[in-house]
Amino acid sequence: MAWIFSRNTQSDGVDSEKIPFIPLGEVHSIDEQEIVSTTSQSLTKSWRPVYFKVVGYCTNLGWEILPSFVVAIIKPKKVESEKKKLHPTAFLDGIRGFACLFVVFFHLVYAWYPRHHYGFGYPGDGNNHYIIQLPIIKVIYSGASMVYVFFVVSGFALSYKSLKLLRNGSIDNALQSLVSSAFRRPFRIFLPPLTSTFIIVLLVRLGAYEPARPYAYDDQVIPDVHEDHVERFATVWEQLRHWVYHSHEMCGLFRWSRNNPYDGHLWTIPVEFRQSMLLFFTLLTLSFSKPVIRTILLASLAVYAGYVDPGSTLCFYAGMLMAELWLINSSKATPSPVDSRRKAFLTRIKTAIWWLIFLLGLHLDSNSDYWEATPGYSFLARLHTNRDFWHTTGAILIVFSASNSASIQKLFTNSFAQYLGKISYAIYLVHGMFLHTLVYILLPKVWEYTGKDTLAQYELGWGIVVAVFLPCVIWAADLFWRWVDIPAVKFARSVEEACSIRKGGR
C-alpha cells in the first residue's frame, strides 16, 4: 500500500516521526467526506442569505399587491398604527369618493342602457317607469352632475387652509400656503393621468385593446354611446409621438384640448387645473381684504359666474364661499345655555331642514337629458333653460348641506366612504382602461351563454361582467393610489422644497 508521507520526510524542521502515516485509500475517503461536508456547509452559508432575501422580497411584493383593505383585515395592528384622526373636512373626501363611484356607474350604464337619457315618467314612448329612473335613485349613475360635485369639493378643499390662516390673522403663513399649493398643483393634477395614459400606451402596444376593437363600434354589442377606442399605430415611435402630442395638449398651460384619445374621461383634468389656478389667483387678490368684504366679494363672484356660465367656475367659487362660511360658523362662540328640551327640538328641526336641502340637491342632480318634459323637472325649465345650472345648483346644495349637518356627514366619514375618497382619483384614472379591455371583450362572450333577447338575460350578462369589473377596478385603483398617486404628491413636495428659498437655497 502506498503512503502519503515517508518516515524520512522532513519539512521546515518538523519531526517526521510525529507525522502520522495515512494510507492513500483512507486519505481519499476522508477528503471526500470533508469536501462534501465543507462544500455543503459553504453552499448553505452562501445561499441561505440569498434564499431569505428572495423569500423576503416575494413576501413584501405579496403584501404590496394586496389591496390595502385586505391588509387591514389580515394585519389590523399594522394598519391601526397608521390610522390618523379624521380632519374636520374629512366628509369632503367621502363625497368625492361616492361621486367618483357614481361616475364609473354612469360609464357602465350609458353605453348599454339607452334609457339613461330619460327620467321616470317621461312620456316619449310611455315605457319609462323603472325604479332605477326615479329621482334621487337615478343620481347613482348621473355622471355629468357628479363632475360638478367634484368641482365644488375642490373649491372647498383647496381654499380651506389659506382661508383658515387668513381668518386667524396669519397672513404670511396663508400666502406661503397659497404659493405652495399653486406650485405643487400641476404635479398633483398631471403626473397621475400622464402615468395612466402611458400605461394605456403599453397595453395598446401589447395588443390588449385589439380583441375589443371589433366590438367597440358595434351597435349589437354597445347599443348607445361609443367611446373612442385607442388607435394602434404601425410603429412604437408613431404611438409615442401621438401620446406625447395629446399629453401636451392636456397639460398645456396656455391652451389645451378636452379630448384625450387615450382616455376620453380625462376631459375634466385641464378644467380642474384651470379653475384651481383661477381660485388661487382670487384668493391671492382677496388676501388683504377684510373678512366681511372678502365674503361679499366671493358671493358676488359666484353669482356672476352663475349668470355668465353656470359650470365649473361657479362650482369652484361656490366651494370657496362655503369654506369661508364654514369657518365663520366654526369660529362662533359657544351659545349660552338653553333649556335642554328646547335645544334638542331646535337641533332636530335644523337637522331635518339640512336633510331636505340635501335631498333637494340629489333630486336636481338626477336631472335627465330630456328633462323639459319629465315630471318633477318640467317646471324647472320655465325657471332656467340651462340644465347645467340645475346640476351645479344640486351639487352646491349637496356639499353645503353636508358641511352644516353632522348627521349627513356620517354618510361620508365612515371607513368605506373614506377609502373611496382616498382612491377616488385613481379610480377615475384606471376605470377607462378596464372598460375598453375587460368589459368590451367579456360582455359579448358572456351574452353568448346567457343570451340577451329578454331583459332578464340582458341584465344577467351585464351584471356578471360588472361583478368582475368592479373588483378589478378597485384593486387596480388601490395599487395606482399607493404606487403612483401618493408618490406624485411626495414628488411635488420634494420639488417644491428643492426650489424654495425658505430652505436656505438661492
Side-chain angles (χ1 to χ4, degrees):
M1 183 178 287
W3 303 93
I4 291 289
F5 296 107
S6 168
R7 289 183 182 272
N8 297 324
T9 303
Q10 295 185 6
S11 176
D12 298 329
V14 178
D15 186 358
S16 61
E17 293 291 336
K18 296 182 179 179
I19 299 178
F21 293 93
I22 305 175
L24 184 59
E26 294 177 14
V27 169
H28 176 75
S29 176
I30 293 174
D31 281 350
E32 188 178 63
Q33 293 175 6
E34 290 179 352
I35 290 172
V36 171
S37 176
T38 304
T39 303
S40 62
Q41 290 177 8
S42 62
L43 285 175
T44 302
K45 289 180 180 179
S46 62
W47 282 102
R48 185 176 296 170
V50 176
Y51 169 76
F52 283 116
K53 282 183 180 179
V54 171
V55 171
Y57 289 146
C58 292
T59 303
N60 291 334
L61 179 61
W63 285 115
E64 280 295 316
I65 64 175
L66 283 176
S68 56
F69 61 87
V70 175
V71 177
I73 296 172
I74 300 174
K75 287 189 172 183
K77 291 183 180 179
K78 177 183 178 182
V79 177
E80 194 70 30
S81 63
E82 298 175 355
K83 280 187 177 179
K84 296 180 180 179
K85 185 179 179 181
L86 291 179
H87 52 86
T89 58
F91 66 93
L92 295 174
D93 297 329
I95 294 175
R96 185 189 293 113
F98 276 111
C100 183
L101 186 64
F102 295 164
V103 167
V104 174
F105 290 162
F106 171 65
H107 293 149
L108 283 169
V109 167
Y110 81 157
W112 290 279
Y113 287 89
R115 291 199 177 278
H116 82 275
H117 295 288
Y118 312 111
F120 188 87
Y122 175 74
D125 58 7
N127 195 26
N128 294 298
H129 294 87
Y130 296 99
I131 293 177
I132 199 70
Q133 292 177 301
L134 284 169
I136 299 179
I137 295 177
K138 194 176 186 296
V139 80
I140 66 174
Y141 60 93
S142 296
S145 57
M146 291 300 102
V147 169
Y148 292 120
V149 173
F150 288 155
F151 293 154
V152 176
V153 169
S154 292
F156 194 126
L158 291 175
S159 59
Y160 172 77
K161 184 178 180 180
S162 295
L163 287 173
K164 183 178 180 180
L165 291 170
L166 288 173
R167 296 196 68 84
N168 291 338
S170 304
I171 296 179
D172 290 342
N173 290 335
L175 292 177
Q176 288 181 4
S177 173
L178 184 59
V179 170
S180 173
S181 297
F183 185 92
R184 290 181 285 112
R185 196 61 177 166
F187 299 97
R188 179 70 186 96
I189 288 288
F190 292 125
L191 283 180
L194 287 174
T195 305
S196 68
T197 51
F198 185 72
I199 292 173
I200 291 174
V201 170
L202 296 179
L203 291 174
V204 170
R205 299 312 304 177
L206 291 172
Y209 273 61
E210 295 312 299
R213 200 169 297 281
Y215 307 119
Y217 302 102
D218 186 349
D219 291 335
Q220 297 300 316
V221 178
I222 304 175
D224 198 4
V225 178
H226 295 262
E227 293 185 355
D228 290 337
H229 202 64
V230 184
E231 180 182 358
R232 191 177 193 271
F233 288 85
T235 65
V236 175
W237 175 244
E238 288 181 273
Q239 195 84 56
L240 288 175
R241 286 183 60 188
H242 187 255
W243 172 74
V244 169
Y245 172 78
H246 285 285
S247 296
H248 174 262
E249 289 291 296
M250 179 180 68
C251 303
L253 296 178
F254 305 107
R255 69 180 183 89
W256 49 75
S257 171
R258 279 186 159 193
N259 180 35
N260 190 317
Y262 288 91
D263 190 344
H265 310 145
L266 300 186
W267 68 267
T268 62
I269 303 302
V271 177
E272 176 82 23
F273 177 71
R274 177 186 65 187
Q275 297 300 344
S276 299
M277 293 298 107
L278 177 62
L279 180 141
F280 294 145
F281 174 76
T282 304
L283 274 173
L284 177 65
T285 305
L286 301 178
S287 293
F288 289 92
S289 301
K290 296 177 181 179
V292 175
I293 300 299
R294 183 171 61 244
T295 304
I296 293 173
L297 289 175
L298 283 177
S300 302
L301 285 171
V303 171
Y304 179 71
Y307 173 76
V308 175
D309 181 20
S312 57
T313 305
L314 169 59
C315 290
F316 269 79
Y317 276 147
M320 183 161 47
L321 179 61
M322 283 183 215
E324 185 81 75
L325 296 175
W326 194 82
L327 289 166
I328 292 173
N329 188 55
S330 301
S331 63
K332 287 181 180 179
T334 305
S336 57
V338 295
D339 180 70
S340 58
R341 286 185 295 180
R342 182 186 175 192
K343 183 179 179 181
F345 175 74
L346 292 175
T347 300
R348 286 195 295 270
I349 293 296
K350 287 174 61 177
T351 300
I353 291 173
W354 288 122
W355 270 102
L356 287 174
I357 294 173
F358 180 73
L359 293 174
L360 176 60
L362 294 178
H363 178 82
L364 293 177
D365 276 352
S366 302
N367 208 339
S368 59
D369 291 343
Y370 299 94
W371 61 295
E372 300 94 336
T374 302
Y377 296 96
S378 56
F379 75 98
L380 296 176
R382 295 193 290 269
L383 301 176
H384 202 295
T385 57
N386 190 334
R387 187 167 70 110
D388 286 342
F389 172 81
W390 296 111
H391 279 164
T392 55
T393 302
I396 290 167
L397 293 180
I398 288 171
V399 179
F400 187 56
S401 58
S403 68
N404 286 278
S405 173
S407 176
I408 298 175
Q409 288 177 17
K410 290 179 181 178
L411 295 174
F412 307 111
T413 54
N414 58 74
S415 57
F416 176 69
Q418 289 296 297
Y419 176 70
L420 283 180
K422 288 178 182 178
I423 65 171
S424 58
Y425 197 25
I427 290 176
Y428 190 77
L429 295 177
V430 305
H431 80 278
M433 62 182 78
F434 281 91
L435 193 66
H436 280 260
T437 53
L438 181 65
V439 176
Y440 280 20
I441 296 170
L442 192 58
L443 189 56
K445 305 300 181 184
V446 172
W447 272 337
E448 289 179 5
Y449 290 95
T450 64
K452 61 173 185 175
D453 295 331
T454 67
L455 181 61
Q457 291 175 330
Y458 190 92
E459 293 190 343
L460 175 61
W462 182 83
I464 291 172
V465 174
V466 171
V468 176
F469 167 80
L470 286 177
C472 291
V473 168
I474 295 296
W475 193 344
D478 191 288
L479 296 177
F480 193 90
W481 166 58
R482 287 184 284 123
W483 293 357
V484 178
D485 202 14
I486 293 176
V489 174
K490 293 179 179 178
F491 176 75
R493 180 73 68 182
S494 64
V495 172
E496 182 200 10
E497 291 177 354
C499 298
S500 176
I501 62 174
R502 288 183 293 161
K503 298 300 179 182
R506 294 294 178 188

